[in-house]
Amino acid sequence: MKKHIASLLTRSLLLTLALVGLVQAEDTPQLQQIKHTILSPSSEQIVLKLSGSYSPKTFTLKDQSPRVVFDFADMTQGKGVRNLVTTNGPLLKSVRVGVHQEDEPKTRVVVDLKSLKGVNYTQHFDEKTSTLTIRFTGPEKKVAKEAPPAPTPAPPDQGAEGATPATDAPA
């Protein structure tokens, strides 16, 4: 009888712990998806789908490999999120994702830029869809204007009919 009660208590405890773990997992913010879009030759955007409202700590590194870093404290990375997204865009090289399990765990999203010269970015969070849209804009690409066609030279003046044009050389 004592073994039966102990077994029931053990099962109940394990079930309770499993349910608490599931509830905590659902409460933990998660990066669920990354989508990159080229909007124009001077504009690209990244959309981060999150599992709730979240605002990252953002900073820019301006060394030989310029990049913008977005740190999401206490956030996990969803199973469908790749660690590297190659963009092939006019402004961005790639987007990298990593989870740091330090004293203050975080998910870090790093956007590698081709150059920082003239590049700006803005962030907008949509509460309804839990998406953070980051738009990068760069200098407008100048399209070379076609030069107007050169005027067609007039045929040389032949003077009288069949005559040879006069020259300045002495005879």
Side-chain angles (χ1 to χ4, degrees):
M1 180 76 162
K2 289 181 182 179
K3 286 184 180 182
H4 183 56
I5 293 174
S7 175
L8 284 175
L9 285 174
T10 302
R11 286 184 196 175
S12 297
L13 180 61
L14 289 175
L15 182 59
T16 302
L17 289 174
L19 290 174
V20 168
L22 285 174
V23 169
Q24 285 179 341
E26 289 176 8
D27 289 344
T28 303
Q30 186 178 70
L31 173 61
Q32 297 175 329
Q33 182 181 33
I34 298 176
K35 182 179 178 185
H36 169 261
T37 306
I38 298 172
L39 303 172
S40 75
S42 62
S43 180
E44 298 180 58
Q45 78 178 15
I46 297 169
V47 178
L48 305 176
K49 174 72 174 139
L50 309 172
S51 65
S53 179
Y54 228 75
S55 179
K57 175 183 175 190
T58 305
F59 57 95
T60 303
L61 298 171
K62 301 176 182 180
D63 57 10
Q64 291 178 341
S65 302
R67 54 202 178 271
V68 180
V69 179
F70 301 89
D71 281 343
F72 295 89
D74 296 321
M75 182 175 281
T76 62
Q77 179 179 342
K79 293 182 191 222
V81 176
R82 296 184 311 178
N83 290 341
L84 177 65
V85 177
T86 305
T87 63
N88 295 320
L91 304 173
L92 309 181
K93 288 182 186 177
S94 62
V95 179
R96 296 179 285 134
V97 179
V99 176
H100 296 253
Q101 299 292 344
E102 302 159 352
D103 293 337
E104 298 174 17
K106 64 187 167 213
T107 294
R108 175 170 281 179
V109 177
V110 179
V111 179
D112 295 307
L113 303 169
K114 292 184 177 178
S115 171
L116 272 176
K117 187 176 180 182
V119 175
N120 296 305
Y121 67 92
T122 58
Q123 300 177 58
H124 172 72
F125 186 77
D126 184 341
E127 290 281 341
K128 292 179 185 175
T129 60
S130 293
T131 55
L132 176 63
T133 301
I134 308 160
R135 182 168 291 179
F136 293 85
T137 55
E140 291 290 326
K141 301 289 183 187
K142 294 182 180 178
V143 178
K145 293 182 180 178
E146 284 188 30
T152 306
D157 185 21
Q158 295 197 3
E161 222 176 296
T164 311
T167 62
D168 289 339

